[in-house]
Amino acid sequence: MSPAYDTTYRVERLERGGAHRVSSVEQRIGGKGVNVTRVLNQLGRYARATGFADHAFAAAAELELPNDFVLALPWVRRTLMIGESADGTATEFAEPGARVSHPHAADQLSVRIRGLLPGSTGLVIAGTLPIGIEDSLPAELATAAIEAGVPTVCDLSGEALRLAARVPGVVLCGSFADLTGGSGDLDALLPATERLIAGGAAGVVAVRGPADLVARTPDGCWWARLPDPPAGNPTGAGDAATAAVIAALSHTPSPGWPALLTDAVATSAAAVVVPAAGEIDRALRERVLSEVVVTEAEPSPLP
């Protein structure tokens, strides 16, 4: 919904108030939806990115991935990630997004997505909303997709997430804090996800950490994790997991949730070892699939 230019600095160690010599710089187009699109294409699933952008961002995206952006932003924000080679710590700074400059931008995006739905097997609505876009837009798009029979995953936060969670049949993905407003404690997570399911969501996938997911559906609850997760940059790990979830849900028939979570954890781990968000190490993903531990949790009854 609000893309970004992702810049990554590599330094030996970050010290507050100090001067730093940067050993390498990487810059690429980014944002949750762009990262999900990249990972899906690496998984062999053709995916197209859309949302709001400006001319320069859309032109840069055209060189890398299929896209169909609504040109409604005066400029595109940046995120800066500082990676420390000493111990692998990553620190991120995210700029606020620009205000949408076109009065009919939301309508244009809605028309664009509705036009894409007949040829689509899945939809992901991800990221923060630009200033000037109503929080209800993701829920409206999710409703249209589900009514068209297209599996839909929402990775949102705040009021936009609360409204999208009311859409019957939607699957919610994201950090535990975004989904529940609390800590990542498993005992606190179960009742929080149950409330989301009771509200109409078909599933909730909460990211507790890189290669550590909990899923709740009306049929059960599962905790999937790698006992020994790889070290690296966790920035795009959640986006990689979201890509794996929609890839599985778009299959006919879709795999069971334990198999889906196994793949999502392995894909998340494969993103951690790659410095830039939106990329995965496919060899590592295949290697760790057999190491993922899935435990069925005992949820309390839904109200």
Side-chain angles (χ1 to χ4, degrees), residues 72-96:
L73 293 177
W75 48 269
V76 170
R77 65 194 177 99
R78 297 178 184 273
T79 62
L80 172 64
M81 197 280 288
I82 302 176
E84 301 179 51
S85 57
D87 59 5
T89 299
T91 304
E92 183 175 342
F93 299 86
E95 295 180 359

Side-chain angles (χ1 to χ4, degrees), residues 11-231:
V11 300
E12 176 64 23
R13 188 180 298 278
L14 178 65
E15 296 182 8
R16 185 169 180 263
H20 301 82
R21 184 172 296 277
V22 177
S23 60
S24 67
V25 180
E26 298 175 14
Q27 179 168 289
R28 60 199 329 225
I29 60 170
K32 279 183 171 292
V34 169
N35 292 339
V36 171
T37 304
R38 278 201 189 98
V39 173
L40 281 168
N41 282 307
Q42 290 172 72
L43 294 174
R45 308 299 300 274
Y46 174 84
R48 177 182 295 271
T50 185
F52 303 109
D54 64 2
H55 287 274
F57 188 92
E62 195 66 37
L63 300 175
E64 184 176 342
L65 47 82
N67 71 84
D68 191 8
F69 286 105
V70 173
L71 304 179
L73 293 177
W75 48 269
V76 170
R77 65 194 177 99
R78 297 178 184 273
T79 62
L80 172 64
M81 197 280 288
I82 302 176
E84 301 179 51
S85 57
D87 59 5
T89 299
T91 304
E92 183 175 342
F93 299 86
E95 295 180 359
R99 177 178 291 276
V100 166
S101 57
H102 196 294
H104 305 296
D107 292 337
Q108 289 183 1
L109 181 62
S110 180
V111 168
R112 197 156 300 187
I113 289 178
R114 289 170 191 268
L116 293 170
L117 289 177
S120 299
T121 59
L123 173 67
V124 172
I125 306 171
T128 57
L129 303 184
I131 301 171
I133 295 298
E134 296 291 335
D135 289 322
S136 59
L137 179 61
E140 294 168 6
L141 299 176
T143 299
I146 290 172
E147 289 178 350
V150 177
T152 301
V153 171
C154 289
D155 185 351
L156 304 161
S157 59
E159 182 67 8
L161 171 63
R162 190 182 68 82
L163 295 174
R166 297 177 180 177
V167 178
V170 74
V171 173
L172 306 174
C173 286
S175 71
F176 178 77
D178 282 340
L179 290 170
T180 66
S183 67
D185 181 75
L186 192 60
D187 292 335
L189 186 149
L190 296 180
T193 55
E194 285 163 10
R195 287 192 292 272
L196 293 170
I197 295 296
V204 180
V205 180
V207 179
R208 301 178 68 236
D212 188 346
L213 307 175
V214 173
R216 176 77 168 98
T217 75
D219 300 320
C221 184
W222 299 269
W223 178 23
R225 66 200 184 282
L226 268 180
D228 187 19

